[in-house]
Coordinates of all heavy atoms in Angstrom, one line a residue:
M21 N -70.1 20.7 -61.9 CA -70.4 19.3 -62.0 C -70.5 18.9 -63.5 O -70.0 17.8 -63.9 CB -71.7 19.0 -61.2 CG -72.1 17.6 -61.3 SD -70.9 16.7 -60.3 CE -71.7 15.1 -60.2
S22 N -71.2 19.7 -64.3 CA -71.4 19.4 -65.7 C -70.1 19.3 -66.4 O -69.9 18.4 -67.3 CB -72.3 20.4 -66.4 OG -71.7 21.6 -66.4
Q23 N -69.1 20.1 -66.1 CA -67.8 20.1 -66.8 C -67.0 18.8 -66.5 O -66.3 18.3 -67.3 CB -67.0 21.4 -66.5 CG -67.7 22.6 -67.1 CD -67.0 23.9 -66.8 OE1 -66.0 23.9 -66.0 NE2 -67.4 24.9 -67.5
I24 N -67.2 18.4 -65.3 CA -66.5 17.1 -64.9 C -67.1 15.9 -65.8 O -66.4 15.1 -66.2 CB -66.7 16.8 -63.4 CG1 -65.9 17.8 -62.6 CG2 -66.2 15.4 -63.0 CD1 -66.2 17.8 -61.1
V25 N -68.4 15.9 -65.9 CA -69.1 14.9 -66.7 C -68.6 15.0 -68.2 O -68.3 14.0 -68.8 CB -70.6 15.0 -66.7 CG1 -71.3 14.1 -67.6 CG2 -71.1 14.7 -65.2
Y26 N -68.5 16.2 -68.7 CA -68.0 16.5 -70.1 C -66.6 15.9 -70.3 O -66.3 15.4 -71.3 CB -68.1 17.9 -70.5 CG -69.5 18.4 -70.6 CD1 -69.8 19.8 -70.3 CD2 -70.6 17.6 -70.9 CE1 -71.1 20.3 -70.4 CE2 -71.9 18.1 -70.9 CZ -72.1 19.4 -70.8 OH -73.4 19.9 -70.8
V27 N -65.7 16.2 -69.3 CA -64.3 15.7 -69.4 C -64.3 14.2 -69.3 O -63.5 13.6 -70.0 CB -63.5 16.4 -68.3 CG1 -62.1 15.7 -68.2 CG2 -63.4 17.9 -68.5
I28 N -65.2 13.6 -68.6 CA -65.3 12.1 -68.6 C -65.7 11.6 -70.0 O -65.2 10.6 -70.4 CB -66.3 11.6 -67.5 CG1 -65.6 11.9 -66.1 CG2 -66.6 10.1 -67.7 CD1 -66.6 11.7 -65.0
F29 N -66.5 12.4 -70.6 CA -66.9 11.9 -72.0 C -65.7 12.0 -73.0 O -65.8 11.4 -74.1 CB -68.0 12.8 -72.5 CG -69.4 12.3 -72.1 CD1 -70.2 12.9 -71.1 CD2 -70.0 11.2 -72.6 CE1 -71.4 12.5 -70.7 CE2 -71.2 10.6 -72.3 CZ -71.9 11.3 -71.3
V30 N -64.6 12.7 -72.6 CA -63.4 12.7 -73.4 C -62.9 11.3 -73.6 O -62.5 10.9 -74.7 CB -62.4 13.7 -72.9 CG1 -61.1 13.5 -73.6 CG2 -62.8 15.1 -73.0
L31 N -63.0 10.5 -72.6 CA -62.6 9.1 -72.7 C -63.4 8.3 -73.7 O -62.8 7.5 -74.5 CB -62.6 8.4 -71.3 CG -61.8 9.0 -70.2 CD1 -62.1 8.3 -68.9 CD2 -60.3 8.9 -70.6
I32 N -64.7 8.6 -73.7 CA -65.6 7.9 -74.6 C -65.3 8.5 -76.0 O -65.3 7.7 -77.0 CB -67.1 8.1 -74.3 CG1 -67.4 7.4 -72.9 CG2 -68.0 7.6 -75.3 CD1 -68.7 7.8 -72.3
W33 N -65.0 9.8 -76.1 CA -64.7 10.4 -77.4 C -63.5 9.8 -78.0 O -63.4 9.6 -79.2 CB -64.6 11.9 -77.2 CG -64.1 12.5 -78.5 CD1 -64.8 12.9 -79.6 CD2 -62.7 12.8 -78.8 NE1 -64.0 13.4 -80.5 CE2 -62.7 13.4 -80.0 CE3 -61.5 12.7 -78.1 CZ2 -61.5 13.8 -80.7 CZ3 -60.3 13.1 -78.7 CH2 -60.4 13.7 -80.0
M34 N -62.5 9.5 -77.2 CA -61.2 8.9 -77.7 C -61.5 7.6 -78.5 O -60.9 7.4 -79.5 CB -60.2 8.8 -76.7 CG -59.6 10.1 -76.2 SD -58.2 10.0 -75.2 CE -58.6 9.0 -73.9
F35 N -62.4 6.8 -77.9 CA -62.7 5.5 -78.5 C -63.5 5.8 -79.8 O -63.2 5.2 -80.9 CB -63.6 4.7 -77.6 CG -64.1 3.4 -78.2 CD1 -63.2 2.3 -78.5 CD2 -65.4 3.3 -78.6 CE1 -63.7 1.2 -79.1 CE2 -65.9 2.2 -79.2 CZ -65.1 1.2 -79.4
I36 N -64.5 6.7 -79.7 CA -65.3 6.9 -80.9 C -64.5 7.6 -82.0 O -64.6 7.3 -83.2 CB -66.5 7.9 -80.6 CG1 -67.5 7.1 -79.6 CG2 -67.2 8.4 -81.8 CD1 -68.6 7.9 -79.1
A37 N -63.6 8.5 -81.6 CA -62.7 9.2 -82.7 C -61.8 8.2 -83.3 O -61.6 8.2 -84.5 CB -61.9 10.2 -82.0
G38 N -61.3 7.2 -82.5 CA -60.5 6.1 -83.1 C -61.2 5.3 -84.1 O -60.7 4.9 -85.1
M39 N -62.5 5.0 -83.7 CA -63.3 4.1 -84.6 C -63.8 4.9 -85.8 O -64.3 4.3 -86.8 CB -64.4 3.6 -83.8 CG -64.0 2.5 -82.8 SD -63.3 1.1 -83.5 CE -61.7 1.1 -82.9
S40 N -63.9 6.2 -85.7 CA -64.5 7.0 -86.8 C -63.7 6.9 -88.1 O -64.2 7.2 -89.2 CB -64.6 8.5 -86.4 OG -63.4 9.1 -86.2
V41 N -62.4 6.6 -88.0 CA -61.6 6.4 -89.1 C -62.1 5.2 -90.0 O -61.9 5.2 -91.2 CB -60.1 6.2 -88.7 CG1 -59.2 6.0 -89.9 CG2 -59.7 7.4 -87.9
M42 N -62.7 4.3 -89.4 CA -63.3 3.2 -90.1 C -64.4 3.5 -91.1 O -64.8 2.7 -91.9 CB -63.8 2.1 -89.1 CG -62.7 1.6 -88.1 SD -61.4 0.8 -89.0 CE -60.3 0.5 -87.7
M43 N -64.9 4.8 -91.0 CA -65.9 5.2 -91.9 C -65.4 5.3 -93.3 O -66.1 5.2 -94.3 CB -66.5 6.6 -91.5 CG -67.3 6.6 -90.2 SD -68.1 8.1 -89.9 CE -66.8 9.3 -89.8
F44 N -64.1 5.3 -93.4 CA -63.4 5.4 -94.7 C -62.9 4.1 -95.3 O -62.1 4.1 -96.2 CB -62.3 6.5 -94.7 CG -62.8 7.8 -94.3 CD1 -62.7 8.4 -93.1 CD2 -63.5 8.6 -95.3 CE1 -63.1 9.6 -92.7 CE2 -63.9 9.9 -95.0 CZ -63.8 10.4 -93.7
D45 N -63.4 3.0 -94.7 CA -63.0 1.7 -95.3 C -63.5 1.5 -96.7 O -62.8 0.9 -97.5 CB -63.6 0.6 -94.4 CG -62.7 0.4 -93.2 OD1 -61.6 1.0 -93.1 OD2 -63.1 -0.3 -92.2
D46 N -64.7 2.0 -97.0 CA -65.2 1.9 -98.3 C -64.5 2.9 -99.2 O -64.4 4.1 -98.9 CB -66.7 2.2 -98.3 CG -67.4 2.0 -99.7 OD1 -66.7 1.4 -100.6 OD2 -68.5 2.6 -99.9
P47 N -63.9 2.5 -100.4 CA -63.2 3.4 -101.2 C -64.1 4.6 -101.7 O -63.6 5.7 -102.0 CB -62.8 2.6 -102.4 CG -62.8 1.2 -101.9 CD -63.8 1.1 -100.8
D48 N -65.4 4.4 -101.8 CA -66.3 5.5 -102.3 C -66.6 6.5 -101.2 O -67.0 7.6 -101.4 CB -67.6 4.9 -102.8 CG -67.4 4.0 -104.0 OD1 -66.5 4.3 -104.8 OD2 -68.2 3.1 -104.2
A49 N -66.2 6.1 -99.9 CA -66.5 7.1 -98.8 C -65.7 8.3 -98.8 O -66.1 9.3 -98.3 CB -66.4 6.3 -97.5
I50 N -64.5 8.2 -99.4 CA -63.7 9.4 -99.5 C -64.3 10.5 -100.2 O -64.0 11.7 -100.0 CB -62.3 9.0 -100.0 CG1 -61.1 9.8 -99.5 CG2 -62.2 9.2 -101.5 CD1 -60.6 9.4 -98.2
N51 N -65.2 10.3 -101.1 CA -65.9 11.3 -102.0 C -67.2 11.7 -101.4 O -67.9 12.5 -102.0 CB -66.0 10.8 -103.4 CG -64.6 10.6 -104.0 OD1 -63.6 11.3 -103.7 ND2 -64.5 9.6 -104.9
N52 N -67.6 11.0 -100.3 CA -69.0 11.2 -99.8 C -69.0 12.4 -98.8 O -68.2 12.3 -97.7 CB -69.5 9.9 -99.1 CG -70.9 10.0 -98.7 OD1 -71.5 11.1 -98.7 ND2 -71.5 8.8 -98.4
T53 N -69.7 13.4 -99.1 CA -69.7 14.6 -98.2 C -70.3 14.3 -96.8 O -69.8 14.8 -95.8 CB -70.6 15.7 -98.9 OG1 -70.1 15.9 -100.2 CG2 -70.5 17.0 -98.1
T54 N -71.3 13.5 -96.8 CA -72.0 13.1 -95.4 C -71.0 12.4 -94.6 O -70.9 12.7 -93.3 CB -73.2 12.2 -95.7 OG1 -74.1 12.9 -96.6 CG2 -73.9 12.0 -94.4
T55 N -70.2 11.6 -95.1 CA -69.1 10.9 -94.3 C -68.1 11.8 -93.7 O -67.8 11.8 -92.6 CB -68.4 9.8 -95.1 OG1 -69.4 8.9 -95.7 CG2 -67.5 9.0 -94.3
W56 N -67.7 12.8 -94.5 CA -66.8 13.8 -94.1 C -67.4 14.7 -93.0 O -66.7 15.1 -92.0 CB -66.3 14.6 -95.2 CG -65.1 14.0 -96.0 CD1 -65.2 13.3 -97.2 CD2 -63.8 13.9 -95.5 NE1 -64.0 12.8 -97.5 CE2 -63.1 13.2 -96.5 CE3 -63.1 14.3 -94.4 CZ2 -61.7 12.9 -96.4 CZ3 -61.7 14.1 -94.3 CH2 -61.1 13.4 -95.3
L57 N -68.7 15.1 -93.2 CA -69.3 16.0 -92.2 C -69.4 15.2 -90.8 O -69.2 15.8 -89.8 CB -70.7 16.4 -92.6 CG -70.7 17.4 -93.7 CD1 -72.1 17.7 -94.3 CD2 -70.1 18.7 -93.3
I58 N -69.8 14.0 -90.8 CA -69.9 13.2 -89.6 C -68.5 13.1 -88.9 O -68.3 13.2 -87.8 CB -70.5 11.8 -89.9 CG1 -72.0 12.0 -90.3 CG2 -70.4 10.9 -88.6 CD1 -72.6 10.7 -90.8
F59 N -67.5 12.8 -89.8 CA -66.1 12.6 -89.3 C -65.6 13.9 -88.6 O -65.1 13.9 -87.5 CB -65.2 12.2 -90.4 CG -63.8 12.0 -90.0 CD1 -63.4 10.9 -89.4 CD2 -62.8 13.0 -90.3 CE1 -62.1 10.7 -89.0 CE2 -61.5 12.8 -90.0 CZ -61.1 11.7 -89.3
I60 N -65.8 15.0 -89.3 CA -65.4 16.3 -88.8 C -66.1 16.7 -87.5 O -65.6 17.2 -86.5 CB -65.5 17.4 -89.9 CG1 -64.5 17.1 -91.0 CG2 -65.4 18.8 -89.3 CD1 -64.7 18.0 -92.2
T61 N -67.4 16.4 -87.5 CA -68.2 16.7 -86.3 C -67.7 15.9 -85.1 O -67.7 16.4 -84.0 CB -69.7 16.4 -86.6 OG1 -70.2 17.1 -87.7 CG2 -70.6 16.7 -85.3
I62 N -67.4 14.7 -85.3 CA -66.8 13.9 -84.2 C -65.6 14.4 -83.7 O -65.4 14.5 -82.5 CB -66.7 12.4 -84.7 CG1 -68.0 11.7 -84.9 CG2 -65.8 11.6 -83.6 CD1 -67.9 10.3 -85.5
W63 N -64.7 14.8 -84.6 CA -63.4 15.4 -84.2 C -63.4 16.8 -83.6 O -62.4 17.2 -83.1 CB -62.4 15.2 -85.4 CG -61.9 13.9 -85.5 CD1 -62.4 12.8 -86.1 CD2 -60.7 13.4 -84.8 NE1 -61.6 11.7 -86.0 CE2 -60.6 12.0 -85.2 CE3 -59.7 13.9 -84.0 CZ2 -59.5 11.2 -84.7 CZ3 -58.7 13.1 -83.5 CH2 -58.6 11.8 -83.9
L64 N -64.5 17.5 -83.7 CA -64.6 18.8 -83.2 C -65.2 18.8 -81.8 O -65.2 19.9 -81.1 CB -65.6 19.7 -84.0 CG -65.0 20.2 -85.4 CD1 -66.1 20.9 -86.1 CD2 -63.8 21.0 -85.1
Y65 N -65.4 17.7 -81.2 CA -65.9 17.6 -79.8 C -64.9 18.3 -78.8 O -65.3 19.1 -78.0 CB -66.2 16.2 -79.3 CG -66.6 16.1 -77.8 CD1 -67.8 16.6 -77.4 CD2 -65.7 15.7 -76.9 CE1 -68.2 16.6 -76.1 CE2 -66.1 15.6 -75.6 CZ -67.3 16.1 -75.2 OH -67.7 16.0 -73.9
P66 N -63.6 18.1 -78.9 CA -62.7 18.8 -78.0 C -62.7 20.3 -78.1 O -62.5 21.0 -77.1 CB -61.3 18.2 -78.3 CG -61.6 17.0 -79.0 CD -62.9 17.1 -79.7
V67 N -62.9 20.8 -79.3 CA -63.0 22.2 -79.5 C -64.2 22.7 -78.9 O -64.2 23.8 -78.2 CB -63.0 22.5 -81.1 CG1 -63.2 24.0 -81.3 CG2 -61.7 22.0 -81.7
G68 N -65.3 22.1 -79.0 CA -66.6 22.5 -78.4 C -66.5 22.5 -76.9 O -67.0 23.3 -76.1
L69 N -65.8 21.4 -76.4 CA -65.6 21.3 -74.9 C -64.8 22.4 -74.4 O -65.1 23.0 -73.4 CB -65.0 19.9 -74.6 CG -64.7 19.6 -73.2 CD1 -66.0 19.5 -72.4 CD2 -63.9 18.4 -73.0
L70 N -63.7 22.7 -75.0 CA -62.8 23.8 -74.6 C -63.5 25.1 -74.7 O -63.4 26.0 -73.8 CB -61.5 23.8 -75.4 CG -60.5 22.8 -75.1 CD1 -59.3 22.9 -76.0 CD2 -60.0 22.9 -73.6
A71 N -64.3 25.4 -75.7 CA -65.0 26.6 -75.8 C -66.0 26.7 -74.7 O -66.3 27.8 -74.1 CB -65.7 26.7 -77.2
A72 N -66.7 25.6 -74.4 CA -67.7 25.6 -73.3 C -67.0 25.9 -72.0 O -67.6 26.6 -71.1 CB -68.4 24.3 -73.3
I73 N -65.9 25.3 -71.7 CA -65.2 25.5 -70.4 C -64.8 26.9 -70.3 O -65.1 27.5 -69.3 CB -64.1 24.5 -70.3 CG1 -64.6 23.1 -70.1 CG2 -63.2 24.9 -69.1 CD1 -63.6 22.0 -70.2
I74 N -64.1 27.4 -71.3 CA -63.6 28.8 -71.3 C -64.7 29.8 -71.2 O -64.8 30.7 -70.3 CB -62.7 29.1 -72.4 CG1 -61.4 28.2 -72.2 CG2 -62.3 30.6 -72.5 CD1 -60.5 28.2 -73.5
G75 N -65.7 29.6 -72.1 CA -66.8 30.6 -72.1 C -67.7 30.5 -70.9 O -68.1 31.6 -70.4
G76 N -67.9 29.3 -70.4 CA -68.6 29.2 -69.1 C -68.0 29.8 -67.9 O -68.6 30.6 -67.2
W77 N -66.7 29.6 -67.8 CA -66.0 30.3 -66.6 C -65.9 31.8 -66.8 O -66.0 32.5 -65.8 CB -64.7 29.6 -66.4 CG -64.8 28.3 -65.7 CD1 -64.6 27.1 -66.2 CD2 -65.1 28.1 -64.3 NE1 -64.8 26.1 -65.3 CE2 -65.1 26.7 -64.1 CE3 -65.5 29.0 -63.3 CZ2 -65.5 26.2 -62.9 CZ3 -65.8 28.4 -62.1 CH2 -65.8 27.1 -61.9
V78 N -65.7 32.3 -68.0 CA -65.6 33.7 -68.2 C -66.9 34.4 -67.9 O -66.9 35.4 -67.2 CB -65.1 34.0 -69.6 CG1 -65.3 35.5 -70.0 CG2 -63.7 33.6 -69.8
T79 N -68.0 33.8 -68.4 CA -69.3 34.4 -68.1 C -69.7 34.3 -66.7 O -70.3 35.1 -66.1 CB -70.4 33.8 -69.1 OG1 -70.4 32.4 -69.0 CG2 -70.1 34.2 -70.5
F80 N -69.3 33.2 -66.1 CA -69.6 32.9 -64.6 C -68.8 34.0 -63.8 O -69.4 34.5 -62.8 CB -69.2 31.5 -64.2 CG -69.5 31.2 -62.8 CD1 -70.8 30.9 -62.4 CD2 -68.6 31.2 -61.8 CE1 -71.1 30.6 -61.1 CE2 -68.9 30.9 -60.5 CZ -70.2 30.6 -60.2
S81 N -67.6 34.3 -64.1 CA -66.8 35.2 -63.4 C -67.4 36.6 -63.5 O -67.2 37.5 -62.7 CB -65.3 35.2 -63.7 OG -65.1 35.7 -65.1
R82 N -68.0 36.9 -64.6 CA -68.7 38.2 -64.8 C -70.1 38.3 -64.3 O -70.8 39.2 -64.5 CB -68.7 38.5 -66.3 CG -67.3 38.7 -66.9 CD -67.3 39.0 -68.4 NE -66.0 39.2 -68.9 CZ -65.7 39.2 -70.2 NH1 -66.6 39.1 -71.1 NH2 -64.4 39.3 -70.5
R83 N -70.5 37.2 -63.6 CA -71.8 37.1 -63.0 C -73.0 37.1 -64.0 O -74.0 37.5 -63.6 CB -72.0 38.2 -61.9 CG -71.0 38.1 -60.8 CD -71.3 39.0 -59.7 NE -70.3 39.2 -58.8 CZ -69.9 38.3 -57.8 NH1 -70.5 37.2 -57.7 NH2 -68.9 38.6 -57.0
H84 N -72.7 36.5 -65.1 CA -73.7 36.3 -66.1 C -74.1 34.8 -66.1 O -73.6 34.0 -66.9 CB -73.3 36.7 -67.5 CG -72.9 38.1 -67.7 ND1 -73.8 39.1 -67.6 CD2 -71.7 38.7 -67.9 CE1 -73.2 40.3 -67.8 NE2 -71.9 40.1 -68.0
Y85 N -74.9 34.5 -65.1 CA -75.1 33.0 -64.8 C -76.0 32.3 -65.9 O -75.7 31.2 -66.2 CB -75.8 32.9 -63.5 CG -75.0 33.5 -62.3 CD1 -75.5 34.6 -61.5 CD2 -73.7 33.0 -62.0 CE1 -74.7 35.1 -60.6 CE2 -73.0 33.6 -61.0 CZ -73.5 34.6 -60.3 OH -72.7 35.1 -59.3
R86 N -76.9 33.0 -66.5 CA -77.7 32.4 -67.6 C -76.8 32.2 -68.8 O -76.9 31.1 -69.4 CB -78.8 33.4 -67.9 CG -79.8 32.8 -69.0 CD -80.9 33.7 -69.2 NE -81.7 33.3 -70.3 CZ -82.8 32.5 -70.2 NH1 -83.2 32.2 -69.0 NH2 -83.5 32.2 -71.3
A87 N -76.0 33.1 -69.1 CA -75.0 32.9 -70.2 C -74.1 31.7 -69.9 O -73.6 31.0 -70.8 CB -74.2 34.1 -70.6
S88 N -73.6 31.6 -68.7 CA -72.8 30.5 -68.3 C -73.4 29.2 -68.5 O -72.8 28.2 -68.9 CB -72.3 30.8 -66.8 OG -71.5 29.7 -66.4
L89 N -74.7 29.1 -68.1 CA -75.4 27.8 -68.3 C -75.5 27.5 -69.8 O -75.4 26.3 -70.2 CB -76.8 27.9 -67.7 CG -76.8 27.9 -66.2 CD1 -78.3 28.1 -65.7 CD2 -76.3 26.5 -65.7
I90 N -75.8 28.5 -70.7 CA -75.8 28.3 -72.1 C -74.5 27.8 -72.6 O -74.5 26.8 -73.4 CB -76.3 29.6 -72.8 CG1 -77.8 29.9 -72.4 CG2 -76.2 29.5 -74.3 CD1 -78.3 31.2 -72.9
W91 N -73.4 28.4 -72.2 CA -72.1 28.0 -72.6 C -71.8 26.5 -72.2 O -71.2 25.8 -72.9 CB -71.0 28.9 -72.0 CG -70.7 30.1 -72.9 CD1 -71.1 31.4 -72.7 CD2 -69.9 30.1 -74.1 NE1 -70.7 32.1 -73.7 CE2 -70.0 31.5 -74.6 CE3 -69.2 29.2 -74.8 CZ2 -69.3 31.9 -75.7 CZ3 -68.6 29.6 -75.9 CH2 -68.6 30.9 -76.4
N92 N -72.3 26.2 -71.0 CA -72.0 24.8 -70.5 C -72.9 23.8 -71.2 O -72.6 22.6 -71.1 CB -72.3 24.8 -69.0 CG -71.1 25.2 -68.2 OD1 -70.0 25.0 -68.5 ND2 -71.4 26.0 -67.2
C93 N -73.8 24.2 -72.0 CA -74.7 23.2 -72.7 C -74.1 22.9 -74.1 O -74.6 22.1 -74.8 CB -76.1 23.8 -72.9 SG -77.0 23.7 -71.3
I94 N -73.0 23.6 -74.6 CA -72.5 23.4 -75.9 C -72.1 21.9 -76.1 O -72.4 21.4 -77.2 CB -71.3 24.3 -76.2 CG1 -71.9 25.8 -76.4 CG2 -70.5 23.9 -77.4 CD1 -70.8 26.8 -76.5
P95 N -71.4 21.2 -75.2 CA -71.0 19.9 -75.5 C -72.2 18.9 -75.6 O -72.1 17.8 -76.2 CB -70.2 19.5 -74.3 CG -69.6 20.7 -73.8 CD -70.7 21.8 -74.0
L96 N -73.4 19.4 -75.2 CA -74.6 18.6 -75.4 C -74.9 18.4 -76.9 O -75.6 17.4 -77.2 CB -75.8 19.1 -74.6 CG -75.7 19.0 -73.1 CD1 -76.9 19.7 -72.5 CD2 -75.6 17.6 -72.6
L97 N -74.4 19.3 -77.7 CA -74.7 19.1 -79.2 C -74.1 17.8 -79.7 O -74.4 17.3 -80.7 CB -74.1 20.3 -79.9 CG -74.7 21.6 -79.6 CD1 -74.0 22.8 -80.3 CD2 -76.2 21.6 -80.1
W98 N -73.1 17.3 -79.0 CA -72.5 16.0 -79.4 C -73.0 14.9 -78.6 O -73.2 13.8 -79.1 CB -70.9 16.1 -79.2 CG -70.2 16.9 -80.2 CD1 -69.7 16.4 -81.4 CD2 -69.9 18.2 -80.1 NE1 -69.1 17.4 -82.0 CE2 -69.2 18.6 -81.3 CE3 -70.2 19.3 -79.2 CZ2 -68.8 19.9 -81.6 CZ3 -69.7 20.5 -79.5 CH2 -69.0 20.9 -80.7
I99 N -73.3 15.1 -77.3 CA -73.6 14.0 -76.4 C -75.1 13.5 -76.6 O -75.3 12.4 -76.6 CB -73.4 14.5 -74.9 CG1 -71.9 14.7 -74.7 CG2 -74.0 13.5 -73.9 CD1 -71.5 15.3 -73.4
V100 N -76.0 14.5 -76.8 CA -77.4 14.1 -76.9 C -77.6 13.2 -78.2 O -78.3 12.2 -78.1 CB -78.3 15.4 -76.9 CG1 -79.7 15.0 -77.3 CG2 -78.3 16.0 -75.5
P101 N -77.1 13.6 -79.4 CA -77.3 12.7 -80.5 C -76.7 11.4 -80.3 O -77.2 10.3 -80.7 CB -76.7 13.5 -81.7 CG -76.6 14.9 -81.3 CD -76.5 14.9 -79.8
L102 N -75.5 11.3 -79.7 CA -74.9 10.0 -79.4 C -75.7 9.2 -78.5 O -75.9 8.0 -78.7 CB -73.5 10.2 -78.8 CG -72.7 9.0 -78.5 CD1 -72.4 8.1 -79.8 CD2 -71.4 9.3 -77.8
G103 N -76.2 9.8 -77.4 CA -77.1 9.1 -76.5 C -78.4 8.6 -77.2 O -78.8 7.5 -77.0
G104 N -79.0 9.5 -78.1 CA -80.1 9.1 -78.8 C -79.8 7.9 -79.7 O -80.7 7.0 -79.8
F105 N -78.7 7.9 -80.4 CA -78.3 6.8 -81.2 C -78.1 5.5 -80.4 O -78.6 4.4 -80.8 CB -77.0 7.1 -82.0 CG -76.5 5.9 -82.8 CD1 -77.2 5.5 -83.9 CD2 -75.4 5.2 -82.4 CE1 -76.7 4.5 -84.7 CE2 -74.9 4.2 -83.1 CZ -75.6 3.8 -84.3
L106 N -77.5 5.6 -79.2 CA -77.4 4.4 -78.4 C -78.7 3.9 -77.9 O -78.9 2.6 -77.9 CB -76.4 4.7 -77.2 CG -75.0 5.0 -77.6 CD1 -74.2 5.4 -76.4 CD2 -74.3 3.8 -78.2
V107 N -79.6 4.7 -77.5 CA -80.9 4.3 -77.1 C -81.6 3.6 -78.2 O -82.3 2.5 -78.1 CB -81.7 5.4 -76.5 CG1 -83.2 5.1 -76.3 CG2 -81.1 5.9 -75.2
Y108 N -81.5 4.2 -79.4 CA -82.2 3.6 -80.6 C -81.6 2.3 -80.9 O -82.3 1.3 -81.3 CB -82.0 4.6 -81.8 CG -82.5 4.1 -83.1 CD1 -83.9 4.0 -83.3 CD2 -81.7 3.5 -84.1 CE1 -84.4 3.5 -84.5 CE2 -82.2 3.0 -85.2 CZ -83.5 3.0 -85.5 OH -84.0 2.5 -86.6
S109 N -80.3 2.1 -80.8 CA -79.7 0.8 -81.2 C -80.0 -0.2 -80.2 O -80.1 -1.4 -80.5 CB -78.2 1.0 -81.3 OG -77.6 1.3 -80.0
I110 N -80.2 0.1 -78.9 CA -80.6 -0.9 -77.9 C -82.1 -1.3 -78.1 O -82.4 -2.5 -78.0 CB -80.4 -0.2 -76.5 CG1 -78.9 -0.1 -76.2 CG2 -81.1 -1.1 -75.4 CD1 -78.6 0.6 -74.9
I111 N -83.0 -0.3 -78.5 CA -84.4 -0.7 -78.7 C -84.5 -1.5 -79.9 O -85.3 -2.5 -79.9 CB -85.2 0.6 -78.8 CG1 -85.2 1.3 -77.4 CG2 -86.6 0.3 -79.2 CD1 -85.9 2.6 -77.4
M112 N -83.8 -1.2 -80.9 CA -84.0 -1.9 -82.2 C -83.2 -3.2 -82.2 O -83.2 -4.1 -82.8 CB -83.7 -1.1 -83.4 CG -84.6 0.1 -83.5 SD -86.3 -0.5 -83.5 CE -87.1 0.5 -84.6

């Protein structure tokens, strides 16, 4: 079930990834390390998702259920901060 939800987040990621290019509108942003780190982190979501899917199913097939749950939580490293940012922007 969690992997289905993560794949649905790929649709949201495509929008965010497309908009992340706008971080470089300011000419000084090209030299800003923080901007590059945020940009790279956004674009690494599919890699984390694939690692979680493959690692989760491999550990599940080996009957390591706890490890499988941990692997399935990897995409949360991207989803939880984004959700926190959205909640913060709604409240403020």
Side-chain angles (χ1 to χ4, degrees):
M21 181 68 169
S22 65
Q23 291 180 352
I24 293 171
V25 172
Y26 293 152
V27 171
I28 291 171
F29 274 108
V30 169
L31 298 173
I32 297 169
W33 171 81
M34 287 191 306
F35 174 75
I36 292 172
M39 291 295 117
S40 68
V41 179
M42 299 300 173
M43 292 189 297
F44 296 104
D45 280 349
D46 182 18
D48 295 331
I50 212 85
N51 299 323
N52 190 346
T53 306
T54 307
T55 305
W56 277 102
L57 287 174
I58 294 170
F59 180 76
I60 291 169
T61 303
I62 290 170
W63 278 88
L64 283 178
Y65 177 74
V67 175
L69 179 65
L70 285 175
I73 290 172
I74 293 168
W77 280 110
V78 167
T79 54
F80 183 79
S81 69
R82 294 181 182 167
R83 300 192 192 281
H84 300 291
Y85 301 119
R86 183 177 173 93
S88 178
L89 287 173
I90 292 170
W91 273 101
N92 278 319
C93 288
I94 289 176
L96 290 176
L97 294 172
W98 285 270
I99 294 171
V100 169
L102 179 63
F105 175 72
L106 290 174
V107 169
Y108 175 77
S109 65
I110 290 171
I111 292 173
M112 295 310 220

